[in-house]
Amino acid sequence: MRPTRPLVAVASAALFALTASCANGEPQAEAMPTGAPLETRPPEDPAQQPAFAGQTRAPSVTTSVALQHRVVTAALDNPWGLEPLPDGRWLVTEKGGALRIVTAAGEIGEPITGLPPVDAKGQGGLLDVAISPAFAQDRLVYWSYSEPRQGGNATSVARGRLSSDGRAIGDVQVIFRALPTYDGDKHFGSRLAFDPAGHLFITLGERSDAPMRPQAQDLGSHMGKTIRINADGSVPADNPFVGRAGALPEIWSLGHRNVQGVAIDDRGRTWTVEHGTRGGDELNLDRAGLNYGWPNVAYGIEYSGQPGAWVRQREGTEQPVYYWDPVIATGGLAYYGADLVPEWKGDLFVAGLRGEHIARLVLKDDKVVGEERLLTDLGSRVRQVSVGNDGALWAVTDSGELVRLAPTGR
Protein backbone atom coordinates (compact mmCIF):
# COMPACT_ATOMS: atom_id res chain seq x y z
CA MET A 1 0.00 0.00 0.00
CA ARG A 2 1.34 3.41 -0.94
CA PRO A 3 1.73 5.70 2.21
CA THR A 4 0.81 6.48 -0.84
CA ARG A 5 -20.35 33.74 -4.94
CA PRO A 6 -25.41 44.63 -7.84
CA LEU A 7 -22.92 45.98 -5.46
CA VAL A 8 -19.96 48.08 -6.38
CA ALA A 9 -16.78 46.80 -4.91
CA VAL A 10 -16.94 47.09 -1.18
CA ALA A 11 -14.93 50.14 -0.17
CA SER A 12 -13.85 48.77 3.14
CA ALA A 13 -11.53 46.19 1.67
CA ALA A 14 -10.08 44.22 4.50
CA LEU A 15 -6.33 44.39 4.84
CA PHE A 16 -4.21 42.00 6.72
CA ALA A 17 -0.47 41.69 6.86
CA LEU A 18 0.60 38.14 7.18
CA THR A 19 4.19 38.99 8.10
CA ALA A 20 6.26 42.08 8.59
CA SER A 21 8.45 43.28 5.71
CA CYS A 22 12.11 44.10 5.92
CA ALA A 23 13.13 47.64 6.82
CA ASN A 24 14.03 48.40 3.21
CA GLY A 25 10.48 47.50 2.11
CA GLU A 26 11.46 44.24 0.44
CA PRO A 27 9.49 41.18 1.59
CA GLN A 28 11.17 38.64 3.73
CA ALA A 29 11.78 35.17 2.42
CA GLU A 30 8.94 32.76 2.89
CA ALA A 31 8.81 31.32 6.37
CA MET A 32 9.65 27.66 6.29
CA PRO A 33 7.79 25.13 8.42
CA THR A 34 8.89 25.32 12.01
CA GLY A 35 7.45 22.04 13.20
CA ALA A 36 4.53 23.59 15.12
CA PRO A 37 1.28 22.27 13.62
CA LEU A 38 -1.25 24.83 12.40
CA GLU A 39 -4.15 22.73 13.68
CA THR A 40 -4.43 22.79 17.48
CA ARG A 41 -8.00 21.56 18.02
CA PRO A 42 -8.36 18.05 19.43
CA PRO A 43 -8.93 15.36 16.82
CA GLU A 44 -12.33 13.77 16.33
CA ASP A 45 -10.75 10.39 16.82
CA PRO A 46 -7.81 10.65 19.24
CA ALA A 47 -6.94 7.02 18.63
CA GLN A 48 -6.28 7.26 14.89
CA GLN A 49 -2.70 7.65 13.76
CA PRO A 50 -1.42 8.79 10.34
CA ALA A 51 0.15 6.25 8.04
CA PHE A 52 3.25 8.40 7.55
CA ALA A 53 4.82 11.55 8.95
CA GLY A 54 3.21 14.76 7.67
CA GLN A 55 -0.04 13.13 6.56
CA THR A 56 -2.03 15.44 8.84
CA ARG A 57 -1.47 18.54 11.04
CA ALA A 58 1.22 20.12 8.87
CA PRO A 59 3.44 22.89 10.27
CA SER A 60 2.11 26.44 10.04
CA VAL A 61 3.51 28.63 7.26
CA THR A 62 2.92 32.33 6.49
CA THR A 63 2.97 34.20 3.20
CA SER A 64 5.81 36.71 3.36
CA VAL A 65 3.98 39.61 1.67
CA ALA A 66 1.05 41.63 3.00
CA LEU A 67 -2.23 40.55 1.44
CA GLN A 68 -5.59 42.26 1.06
CA HIS A 69 -8.99 40.89 0.22
CA ARG A 70 -11.78 42.81 -1.52
CA VAL A 71 -15.43 41.73 -1.60
CA VAL A 72 -16.17 42.42 -5.25
CA THR A 73 -19.88 41.71 -4.79
CA ALA A 74 -22.06 40.18 -2.11
CA ALA A 75 -25.21 39.90 -4.24
CA LEU A 76 -24.90 36.40 -5.65
CA ASP A 77 -27.40 33.72 -4.72
CA ASN A 78 -25.68 30.64 -3.35
CA PRO A 79 -22.81 30.58 -5.85
CA TRP A 80 -21.12 27.25 -6.45
CA GLY A 81 -18.87 27.25 -9.50
CA LEU A 82 -16.33 29.87 -10.63
CA GLU A 83 -14.46 29.97 -13.94
CA PRO A 84 -12.37 32.79 -15.42
CA LEU A 85 -13.10 34.00 -18.95
CA PRO A 86 -10.20 35.17 -21.11
CA ASP A 87 -11.32 38.84 -20.86
CA GLY A 88 -11.11 38.89 -17.04
CA ARG A 89 -14.81 38.35 -16.38
CA TRP A 90 -16.10 35.32 -14.51
CA LEU A 91 -18.65 32.63 -15.16
CA VAL A 92 -20.45 31.88 -11.89
CA THR A 93 -23.02 29.18 -11.25
CA GLU A 94 -25.75 29.64 -8.66
CA LYS A 95 -26.99 26.47 -7.10
CA GLY A 96 -30.66 27.23 -7.90
CA GLY A 97 -29.91 26.93 -11.62
CA ALA A 98 -28.59 30.29 -12.88
CA LEU A 99 -25.36 30.75 -14.78
CA ARG A 100 -24.16 34.37 -14.82
CA ILE A 101 -21.27 36.49 -16.01
CA VAL A 102 -19.76 38.70 -13.31
CA THR A 103 -17.22 41.40 -14.09
CA ALA A 104 -14.07 42.02 -12.08
CA ALA A 105 -15.80 45.21 -10.82
CA GLY A 106 -18.73 43.20 -9.42
CA GLU A 107 -21.38 43.83 -12.11
CA ILE A 108 -23.67 40.79 -12.23
CA GLY A 109 -25.28 39.79 -15.52
CA GLU A 110 -28.73 38.35 -16.00
CA PRO A 111 -29.01 34.55 -16.01
CA ILE A 112 -27.71 33.07 -19.24
CA THR A 113 -30.56 31.34 -21.07
CA GLY A 114 -30.54 27.86 -22.55
CA LEU A 115 -29.49 25.66 -19.66
CA PRO A 116 -31.53 22.55 -18.81
CA PRO A 117 -33.46 22.32 -15.52
CA VAL A 118 -31.72 21.18 -12.36
CA ASP A 119 -32.93 19.26 -9.31
CA ALA A 120 -31.98 21.88 -6.72
CA LYS A 121 -32.72 20.13 -3.47
CA GLY A 122 -30.36 19.31 -0.67
CA GLN A 123 -26.83 19.37 -2.03
CA GLY A 124 -28.04 19.29 -5.62
CA GLY A 125 -28.44 22.04 -8.21
CA LEU A 126 -26.27 23.75 -10.79
CA LEU A 127 -22.78 22.83 -9.75
CA ASP A 128 -19.48 23.46 -11.48
CA VAL A 129 -18.58 25.29 -14.71
CA ALA A 130 -15.54 25.14 -16.99
CA ILE A 131 -14.67 26.54 -20.39
CA SER A 132 -13.18 24.66 -23.30
CA PRO A 133 -9.39 24.85 -23.59
CA ALA A 134 -10.13 26.27 -27.07
CA PHE A 135 -12.82 28.70 -25.85
CA ALA A 136 -11.42 31.58 -27.92
CA GLN A 137 -12.26 29.57 -31.02
CA ASP A 138 -15.25 27.38 -30.06
CA ARG A 139 -16.88 29.33 -27.13
CA LEU A 140 -17.87 26.03 -25.51
CA VAL A 141 -18.92 26.05 -21.86
CA TYR A 142 -19.25 22.90 -19.74
CA TRP A 143 -21.29 22.56 -16.56
CA SER A 144 -22.25 19.84 -14.11
CA TYR A 145 -25.63 19.65 -12.41
CA SER A 146 -27.99 17.34 -10.57
CA GLU A 147 -30.25 16.23 -13.37
CA PRO A 148 -33.91 15.39 -12.57
CA ARG A 149 -34.68 11.95 -13.93
CA GLN A 150 -37.47 9.41 -13.73
CA GLY A 151 -37.04 7.76 -10.35
CA GLY A 152 -34.67 10.34 -8.94
CA ASN A 153 -31.62 12.26 -10.07
CA ALA A 154 -27.89 12.05 -10.61
CA THR A 155 -24.98 14.20 -11.68
CA SER A 156 -24.76 15.02 -15.38
CA VAL A 157 -22.43 17.16 -17.46
CA ALA A 158 -23.56 19.24 -20.43
CA ARG A 159 -21.86 21.59 -22.84
CA GLY A 160 -23.09 24.41 -25.06
CA ARG A 161 -21.89 27.38 -27.07
CA LEU A 162 -21.93 30.79 -25.39
CA SER A 163 -23.36 33.51 -27.64
CA SER A 164 -21.10 36.42 -28.59
CA ASP A 165 -23.12 38.75 -26.31
CA GLY A 166 -22.83 36.31 -23.41
CA ARG A 167 -26.60 36.09 -22.91
CA ALA A 168 -27.43 32.59 -24.14
CA ILE A 169 -26.09 29.07 -24.44
CA GLY A 170 -26.96 27.16 -27.61
CA ASP A 171 -26.28 23.75 -29.12
CA VAL A 172 -26.64 22.13 -25.69
CA GLN A 173 -25.57 18.50 -25.42
CA VAL A 174 -25.49 16.28 -22.35
CA ILE A 175 -22.15 14.54 -22.71
CA PHE A 176 -22.12 12.49 -19.50
CA ARG A 177 -24.76 11.04 -17.20
CA ALA A 178 -23.71 9.35 -13.98
CA LEU A 179 -25.42 6.03 -13.33
CA PRO A 180 -27.35 4.73 -11.56
CA THR A 181 -30.19 7.19 -11.02
CA TYR A 182 -30.98 7.52 -7.31
CA ASP A 183 -33.71 9.32 -5.35
CA GLY A 184 -31.49 11.27 -2.95
CA ASP A 185 -30.26 14.79 -2.20
CA LYS A 186 -26.64 14.38 -1.14
CA HIS A 187 -23.13 13.76 -2.44
CA PHE A 188 -23.42 14.74 -6.12
CA GLY A 189 -19.79 15.88 -6.21
CA SER A 190 -18.92 17.67 -8.51
CA ARG A 191 -16.05 19.58 -10.08
CA LEU A 192 -14.71 19.81 -13.62
CA ALA A 193 -11.16 20.29 -14.91
CA PHE A 194 -9.40 19.89 -18.25
CA ASP A 195 -5.91 18.48 -18.41
CA PRO A 196 -3.32 19.71 -20.95
CA ALA A 197 -4.30 16.97 -23.40
CA GLY A 198 -7.95 18.12 -23.40
CA HIS A 199 -9.39 15.33 -21.26
CA LEU A 200 -12.25 16.40 -18.98
CA PHE A 201 -12.13 15.19 -15.38
CA ILE A 202 -15.45 14.97 -13.49
CA THR A 203 -15.60 14.23 -9.80
CA LEU A 204 -18.56 12.46 -8.22
CA GLY A 205 -19.91 11.47 -4.81
CA GLU A 206 -21.38 8.13 -3.79
CA ARG A 207 -24.76 9.71 -2.78
CA SER A 208 -24.10 9.41 0.99
CA ASP A 209 -26.85 7.05 2.12
CA ALA A 210 -25.61 3.81 3.62
CA PRO A 211 -27.11 1.56 0.91
CA MET A 212 -25.25 3.54 -1.76
CA ARG A 213 -21.84 3.58 -0.14
CA PRO A 214 -20.65 0.23 -1.49
CA GLN A 215 -21.09 1.53 -5.04
CA ALA A 216 -17.92 3.55 -4.59
CA GLN A 217 -16.16 0.17 -4.96
CA ASP A 218 -18.36 -1.06 -7.84
CA LEU A 219 -16.83 -0.57 -11.28
CA GLY A 220 -20.33 -1.02 -12.75
CA SER A 221 -21.42 2.25 -11.08
CA HIS A 222 -20.21 5.83 -11.51
CA MET A 223 -20.90 6.62 -7.87
CA GLY A 224 -17.86 7.57 -5.80
CA LYS A 225 -15.59 7.83 -8.82
CA THR A 226 -13.41 10.28 -10.66
CA ILE A 227 -14.37 10.27 -14.36
CA ARG A 228 -12.18 11.02 -17.38
CA ILE A 229 -13.73 11.64 -20.80
CA ASN A 230 -12.86 13.46 -23.98
CA ALA A 231 -14.29 16.95 -24.57
CA ASP A 232 -17.09 15.50 -26.73
CA GLY A 233 -18.07 12.90 -24.14
CA SER A 234 -16.35 9.96 -25.75
CA VAL A 235 -14.08 7.67 -23.75
CA PRO A 236 -10.30 7.94 -24.07
CA ALA A 237 -8.86 4.67 -25.30
CA ASP A 238 -6.24 4.70 -22.55
CA ASN A 239 -8.66 4.97 -19.62
CA PRO A 240 -7.67 2.34 -17.06
CA PHE A 241 -10.82 0.21 -17.17
CA VAL A 242 -11.51 0.23 -20.91
CA GLY A 243 -12.22 -3.33 -22.00
CA ARG A 244 -12.66 -4.77 -18.53
CA ALA A 245 -15.83 -6.84 -18.25
CA GLY A 246 -18.45 -5.19 -16.03
CA ALA A 247 -16.53 -1.92 -15.70
CA LEU A 248 -17.75 1.47 -16.92
CA PRO A 249 -15.03 2.78 -19.23
CA GLU A 250 -15.36 6.44 -18.13
CA ILE A 251 -13.97 5.60 -14.68
CA TRP A 252 -10.52 7.00 -13.86
CA SER A 253 -10.35 6.09 -10.16
CA LEU A 254 -12.62 4.65 -7.49
CA GLY A 255 -13.26 4.55 -3.76
CA HIS A 256 -14.21 8.22 -3.21
CA ARG A 257 -16.78 9.63 -0.78
CA ASN A 258 -17.74 13.12 -2.12
CA VAL A 259 -15.16 14.87 -4.26
CA GLN A 260 -15.86 18.62 -4.60
CA GLY A 261 -12.42 19.80 -5.67
CA VAL A 262 -10.17 18.96 -8.60
CA ALA A 263 -7.09 20.70 -10.00
CA ILE A 264 -4.47 19.88 -12.62
CA ASP A 265 -0.89 20.75 -11.75
CA ASP A 266 1.86 21.97 -14.06
CA ARG A 267 2.87 18.39 -14.76
CA GLY A 268 -0.65 17.51 -15.92
CA ARG A 269 -1.41 15.46 -12.83
CA THR A 270 -4.81 15.39 -11.15
CA TRP A 271 -5.30 16.41 -7.52
CA THR A 272 -8.63 16.07 -5.71
CA VAL A 273 -10.08 16.94 -2.32
CA GLU A 274 -13.08 15.20 -0.89
CA HIS A 275 -15.50 15.57 1.97
CA GLY A 276 -14.56 12.74 4.21
CA THR A 277 -15.95 11.37 7.39
CA ARG A 278 -15.97 13.34 10.65
CA GLY A 279 -12.22 13.68 10.98
CA GLY A 280 -11.31 12.45 7.51
CA ASP A 281 -11.37 15.12 4.77
CA GLU A 282 -8.79 14.10 2.17
CA LEU A 283 -6.32 15.44 -0.38
CA ASN A 284 -5.42 12.85 -3.00
CA LEU A 285 -3.09 12.67 -5.95
CA ASP A 286 -5.70 11.03 -8.18
CA ARG A 287 -4.08 8.47 -10.45
CA ALA A 288 -5.43 6.16 -13.13
CA GLY A 289 -7.02 2.94 -11.96
CA LEU A 290 -6.28 3.35 -8.28
CA ASN A 291 -8.62 2.63 -5.39
CA TYR A 292 -8.88 5.32 -2.67
CA GLY A 293 -10.65 3.04 -0.24
CA TRP A 294 -14.10 4.36 0.61
CA PRO A 295 -16.18 2.95 2.27
CA ASN A 296 -13.81 0.24 3.42
CA VAL A 297 -10.82 2.44 4.24
CA ALA A 298 -11.00 5.96 5.69
CA TYR A 299 -9.89 8.22 8.51
CA GLY A 300 -12.39 9.67 10.99
CA ILE A 301 -15.70 8.52 12.45
CA GLU A 302 -19.37 8.69 11.49
CA TYR A 303 -20.97 12.15 11.78
CA SER A 304 -23.27 10.61 14.37
CA GLY A 305 -20.19 10.25 16.57
CA GLN A 306 -20.12 6.49 16.28
CA PRO A 307 -17.04 4.63 15.11
CA GLY A 308 -16.94 3.95 11.39
CA ALA A 309 -17.21 0.48 9.90
CA TRP A 310 -13.86 0.87 8.14
CA VAL A 311 -10.16 0.50 8.72
CA ARG A 312 -7.39 3.09 8.31
CA GLN A 313 -5.21 1.13 5.93
CA ARG A 314 -5.68 -1.83 3.60
CA GLU A 315 -3.50 -3.44 0.99
CA GLY A 316 -4.56 -2.45 -2.53
CA THR A 317 -5.90 0.97 -1.55
CA GLU A 318 -4.23 4.38 -1.61
CA GLN A 319 -3.55 6.53 1.41
CA PRO A 320 -4.51 10.22 1.14
CA VAL A 321 -1.56 12.56 0.67
CA TYR A 322 -3.09 14.61 3.49
CA TYR A 323 -6.14 14.52 5.73
CA TRP A 324 -7.83 16.99 8.10
CA ASP A 325 -8.96 15.96 11.57
CA PRO A 326 -11.08 17.90 12.52
CA VAL A 327 -12.44 18.51 9.04
CA ILE A 328 -12.52 21.88 7.28
CA ALA A 329 -15.32 20.61 4.95
CA THR A 330 -13.38 20.87 1.72
CA GLY A 331 -15.00 22.64 -1.25
CA GLY A 332 -13.13 23.53 -4.43
CA LEU A 333 -9.42 23.22 -5.16
CA ALA A 334 -6.98 25.36 -7.16
CA TYR A 335 -3.38 24.85 -8.23
CA TYR A 336 -1.28 28.03 -8.27
CA GLY A 337 0.84 28.39 -11.37
CA ALA A 338 0.74 32.20 -11.73
CA ASP A 339 3.50 34.74 -11.11
CA LEU A 340 1.81 37.40 -8.95
CA VAL A 341 2.88 35.71 -5.70
CA PRO A 342 6.04 33.77 -6.55
CA GLU A 343 6.21 31.92 -3.25
CA TRP A 344 2.78 30.38 -3.96
CA LYS A 345 4.03 28.73 -7.13
CA GLY A 346 3.18 25.05 -7.04
CA ASP A 347 0.95 25.33 -3.98
CA LEU A 348 -2.60 24.05 -3.66
CA PHE A 349 -5.47 26.17 -2.33
CA VAL A 350 -8.50 24.49 -0.77
CA ALA A 351 -11.88 26.14 -0.12
CA GLY A 352 -13.01 25.51 3.45
CA LEU A 353 -16.74 25.46 4.18
CA ARG A 354 -16.94 24.56 7.82
CA GLY A 355 -13.47 26.02 8.20
CA GLU A 356 -14.51 29.42 6.70
CA HIS A 357 -11.12 29.97 5.12
CA ILE A 358 -8.91 29.06 2.19
CA ALA A 359 -6.24 26.55 3.11
CA ARG A 360 -2.90 27.01 1.40
CA LEU A 361 -0.96 23.77 1.18
CA VAL A 362 2.76 23.89 0.48
CA LEU A 363 3.98 20.79 -1.33
CA LYS A 364 7.39 19.21 -1.50
CA ASP A 365 7.95 15.85 -3.15
CA ASP A 366 4.16 15.40 -3.28
CA LYS A 367 3.84 15.75 0.47
CA VAL A 368 2.24 18.61 2.41
CA VAL A 369 5.04 20.34 4.31
CA GLY A 370 3.13 23.47 5.40
CA GLU A 371 -0.40 24.82 5.78
CA GLU A 372 -1.72 28.39 6.01
CA ARG A 373 -5.24 29.74 6.56
CA LEU A 374 -6.31 32.71 4.42
CA LEU A 375 -9.52 34.82 4.50
CA THR A 376 -10.09 33.81 8.09
CA ASP A 377 -11.61 37.24 8.91
CA LEU A 378 -14.23 37.00 6.15
CA GLY A 379 -16.54 34.85 8.26
CA SER A 380 -18.02 32.99 5.31
CA ARG A 381 -18.10 29.42 4.08
CA VAL A 382 -15.78 29.38 1.08
CA ARG A 383 -17.27 27.23 -1.68
CA GLN A 384 -14.79 27.55 -4.54
CA VAL A 385 -11.39 29.08 -5.13
CA SER A 386 -9.80 29.85 -8.49
CA VAL A 387 -6.72 31.57 -9.87
CA GLY A 388 -7.64 34.59 -11.99
CA ASN A 389 -5.93 35.72 -15.16
CA ASP A 390 -4.48 38.50 -12.98
CA GLY A 391 -2.71 35.96 -10.77
CA ALA A 392 -4.90 36.74 -7.76
CA LEU A 393 -6.95 34.19 -5.85
CA TRP A 394 -10.69 34.59 -6.38
CA ALA A 395 -13.36 32.80 -4.36
CA VAL A 396 -17.11 32.51 -3.97
CA THR A 397 -18.85 31.92 -0.66
CA ASP A 398 -22.13 30.43 0.44
CA SER A 399 -23.03 33.94 1.67
CA GLY A 400 -23.10 35.17 -1.94
CA GLU A 401 -19.73 36.88 -2.13
CA LEU A 402 -17.17 37.05 -4.88
CA VAL A 403 -13.84 37.85 -3.23
CA ARG A 404 -10.42 38.75 -4.61
CA LEU A 405 -7.26 38.07 -2.59
CA ALA A 406 -3.93 39.53 -3.70
CA PRO A 407 -0.83 41.31 -2.39
CA THR A 408 -1.63 44.76 -0.98
CA GLY A 409 -1.86 47.34 -3.73
CA ARG A 410 -1.95 44.77 -6.55
Side-chain angles (χ1 to χ4, degrees):
M1 180 174 60
R2 193 175 301 176
T4 70
R5 143 191 348 184
L7 297 178
V8 297
V10 176
S12 57
L15 303 178
F16 55 101
L18 297 181
T19 65
S21 294
C22 296
N24 63 7
E26 293 296 320
Q28 296 174 350
E30 179 185 3
M32 293 303 292
T34 62
L38 176 66
E39 181 59 75
T40 59
R41 297 172 295 173
E44 298 284 0
D45 182 1
Q48 75 181 6
Q49 297 296 319
F52 54 87
Q55 193 183 20
T56 191
R57 296 185 176 244
S60 175
V61 294
T62 305
T63 302
S64 69
V65 295
L67 300 175
Q68 68 176 15
H69 78 254
R70 175 167 58 95
V71 179
V72 175
T73 181
L76 292 163
D77 184 11
N78 206 349
W80 214 95
L82 181 66
E83 175 79 349
L85 289 167
D87 61 6
R89 299 181 299 169
W90 292 88
L91 282 171
V92 180
T93 62
E94 294 176 327
K95 192 165 163 290
L99 174 64
R100 302 178 187 269
I101 293 178
V102 183
T103 71
E107 299 167 347
I108 302 174
E110 293 296 316
I112 297 170
T113 62
L115 275 69
V118 305
D119 194 358
K121 65 182 181 183
Q123 297 174 2
L126 182 57
L127 303 174
D128 207 17
V129 60
I131 62 172
S132 163
F135 179 82
Q137 291 76 44
D138 60 32
R139 296 191 64 81
L140 287 174
V141 176
Y142 294 72
W143 63 94
S144 61
Y145 62 109
S146 54
E147 183 184 41
R149 304 180 190 170
Q150 183 175 357
N153 51 47
T155 305
S156 294
V157 176
R159 73 174 185 175
R161 206 173 307 278
L162 183 66
S163 62
S164 58
D165 61 8
R167 296 180 178 179
I169 292 275
D171 303 324
V172 173
Q173 302 171 287
V174 179
I175 62 168
F176 172 78
R177 285 185 166 97
L179 295 171
T181 296
Y182 177 69
D183 189 10
D185 66 356
K186 297 179 182 66
H187 290 197
F188 295 93
S190 148
R191 293 292 173 189
L192 307 174
F194 282 98
D195 71 7
H199 301 117
L200 179 61
F201 284 83
I202 306 164
T203 67
L204 301 172
E206 40 51 301
R207 305 308 305 273
S208 181
D209 298 341
M212 293 296 288
R213 288 181 178 181
Q215 294 202 14
Q217 291 293 319
D218 183 357
L219 289 174
S221 167
H222 290 124
M223 303 299 109
K225 311 298 192 301
T226 297
I227 302 300
R228 179 183 184 247
I229 58 175
N230 294 316
D232 62 357
S234 61
V235 177
D238 61 346
N239 268 12
F241 299 108
V242 168
R244 180 181 295 193
L248 295 172
E250 302 89 355
I251 294 173
W252 173 258
S253 65
L254 66 151
H256 300 288
R257 187 174 180 271
N258 191 25
V259 186
Q260 287 194 359
V262 62
I264 310 298
D265 68 17
D266 58 2
R267 294 165 58 184
R269 303 180 304 169
T270 306
W271 294 83
T272 58
V273 286
E274 65 185 83
H275 287 280
T277 64
R278 181 173 158 184
D281 283 354
E282 294 184 2
L283 168 71
N284 287 297
L285 182 52
D286 203 331
R287 299 184 187 272
L290 297 185
N291 185 345
Y292 292 83
W294 181 253
N296 302 320
V297 185
Y299 288 92
I301 59 177
E302 295 280 6
Y303 280 92
S304 66
Q306 297 301 308
W310 50 79
V311 297
R312 309 301 185 202
Q313 303 176 43
R314 177 174 290 178
E315 187 69 29
T317 65
E318 299 301 299
Q319 282 288 306
V321 170
Y322 194 67
Y323 71 86
W324 287 265
D325 179 16
V327 299
I328 64 170
T330 56
L333 176 68
Y335 174 82
Y336 195 84
D339 297 318
L340 184 63
V341 187
E343 68 194 80
W344 288 356
K345 204 95 165 184
D347 293 349
L348 293 171
F349 291 83
V350 184
L353 293 161
R354 180 178 175 183
E356 297 187 346
H357 67 264
I358 296 173
R360 170 190 171 211
L361 301 179
V362 180
L363 300 177
K364 182 178 180 181
D365 299 328
D366 296 336
K367 297 290 190 298
V368 176
V369 297
E371 183 173 2
E372 181 177 14
R373 293 176 182 170
L374 305 172
L375 290 185
T376 55
D377 56 345
L378 190 63
S380 297
R381 289 163 54 90
V382 183
R383 176 61 64 175
Q384 172 65 316
V385 58
S386 182
V387 180
N389 300 325
D390 57 359
L393 286 180
W394 293 70
V396 288
T397 74
D398 284 2
S399 304
E401 297 148 317
L402 173 63
V403 185
R404 180 182 186 269
L405 177 66
T408 301
R410 300 295 297 273

